[in-house]
Amino acid sequence: MLIDGTAAAAKVRAETAAGIAHLRSIGKPVHLVALLVGGTPAAELYAERQAEGCRKIGIDYTLLALPEDISNRELRQEVKRLSVDPTVTGIMLHMPLPHHIDVARVQYEIDVVKDVEGVSPANIGYVFYRRVVIAPCTAMAALELIDYAGVPVEGAEAVVVGASHIVGKPIAMMLLEKMATVSVCHIRTRDLKLHTKRADILVVAAGKAGLITADHVKPGACVIDVGINRVAQPDGTMKTVGDVAFDAVKEVAGHLTPIPGGVGPMTVAVLLRNTLRSAQILAGIA
Ligand code: NAD
């Protein structure tokens, strides 16, 4: 059964739009500032699409384009300035940032409440204590889709492939908080299949196309594919695929997220919901 991320996201968006309209009606408009450092045409296109999505839902959106050679200090100062600007309710950083930028240190400067992507160390740390202020977007999206599919988490064997600070670890922690028995696999895991085969819930966030094949999956498992990979096709065109070999795994899994139309749209919807939540906290109503 395919998990329709687009439909699930639409529900989140509708609820979010209502909250945003309410804030505007009481004179507290939601204002997201996105920083784009030395953008490529693809990044600019993505930012433009995001701007459109925000405006449609009633969020005021400002794209702050900064030069490629901006120093770490200058970028951190820009983020600090936005963090204390009372007209700004949310801040996000378009990735990737240039190589010379220390991403974690820039994220550290984002005000905890305005951190709509949930990437500041504080927001990731709060997941540990189940006291979420602003949830890490992609991790939350994975959990939302498991919930949308109606798959019970409590007591389930859950396996997360990928252990990054922003994606894999928060997903594992959120599953643990929901009382799953969680294993986390990574690049040094000796026998990946041994672990994934046991999973009732398998979340894959490794960034490696085709990593998970049918024989990694327990029949009937819920498989959430977080990976995004651009791969060349025989005709020379590029295609976006996940980490899961979709055609083979859909024959074995009980639930599976497609790409496109799975985790991606839900991550965007969670980002918008977080943007609302930031503004609500700042307005003193959350
Ligand atoms: P990352 O490179 O920071 O971390 C990758 C993790 O996967 C590491 O822990 C690594 O040890 C593990 N890994 C890599 N190869 C592996 C292998 N062969 N076997 C087992 N483990 C392996 O990446 P990230 O930022 O966590 O992102 C992971 C994937 O999720 C990427 O494809 C990224 O594009 C995607 N992503 C998707 C969304 C979304 O909205 N759908 C959002 C963020 C990231």
Side-chain angles (χ1 to χ4, degrees), residues 138 161-164 166-168 185-188 192 205-208 211 226-229 243 263-264 267:
T138 308
V161 181
S164 69
I166 308 281
V167 186
C185 301
H186 46 77
I187 190 79
R188 297 281 177 251
L192 184 62
K208 190 161 192 309
L211 178 65
V226 181
I228 301 175
N229 310 286
D243 292 349
V263 177
T267 301

Side-chain angles (χ1 to χ4, degrees), residues 216-235:
H216 286 84
V217 177
K218 176 177 168 180
C222 172
V223 182
I224 306 291
D225 190 357
V226 181
I228 301 175
N229 310 286
R230 296 284 290 162
V231 295
Q233 299 299 290
D235 65 0

Side-chain angles (χ1 to χ4, degrees), residues 37-248:
V37 181
T40 59
E44 278 167 19
L45 182 69
Y46 176 79
E48 192 36 58
R49 286 216 189 112
Q50 186 180 58
E52 232 177 83
C54 283
R55 287 182 198 123
K56 254 192 213 157
I57 206 169
I59 295 171
D60 296 338
Y61 181 94
T62 303
L63 181 67
L64 201 55
L66 298 165
E68 169 102 41
D69 61 354
I70 190 167
S71 71
N72 274 280
R73 204 169 140 265
E74 286 166 330
L75 182 55
R76 288 205 303 272
Q77 270 170 352
E78 200 57 56
V79 171
K80 275 188 196 170
R81 182 185 67 76
L82 295 168
S83 287
V84 295
D85 181 340
T87 68
V88 174
T89 61
I91 302 166
M92 63 159 289
L93 289 164
H94 280 295
M95 294 291 163
L97 288 168
H99 290 304
H100 69 280
I101 298 291
D102 181 342
V103 179
R105 283 212 57 197
V106 178
Q107 288 169 335
Y108 188 78
E109 298 298 345
I110 303 175
D111 177 82
V112 178
V113 172
K114 295 186 184 184
D115 170 32
V116 296
E117 294 178 289
V119 291
S120 83
N123 278 319
I124 290 176
Y126 280 133
V127 173
F128 208 95
Y129 298 100
R130 210 194 299 169
R131 256 197 62 217
V132 175
V133 178
I134 304 293
C137 278
T138 308
M140 184 50 105
L143 270 287
E144 288 279 354
L145 292 178
I146 295 166
D147 186 50
Y148 182 77
V151 173
V153 178
E154 194 175 317
E157 287 289 332
V159 174
V160 182
V161 181
S164 69
H165 301 319
I166 308 281
V167 186
K169 283 185 197 168
I171 291 173
M173 193 51 62
M174 287 177 176
L175 287 165
L176 179 62
E177 285 301 333
K178 287 183 172 276
M179 303 302 283
T181 302
V182 185
S183 309
V184 184
C185 301
H186 46 77
I187 190 79
R188 297 281 177 251
T189 297
R190 275 203 289 269
D191 186 346
L192 184 62
K193 212 179 280 181
L194 179 81
H195 298 279
T196 58
K197 261 296 218 200
R198 284 191 298 107
D200 303 313
I201 297 170
L202 176 60
V203 185
V204 192
K208 190 161 192 309
L211 178 65
I212 300 299
T213 57
D215 54 349
H216 286 84
V217 177
K218 176 177 168 180
C222 172
V223 182
I224 306 291
D225 190 357
V226 181
I228 301 175
N229 310 286
R230 296 284 290 162
V231 295
Q233 299 299 290
D235 65 0
T237 58
M238 299 299 281
K239 188 179 174 197
T240 302
V241 300
D243 292 349
V244 174
F246 182 83
D247 289 334

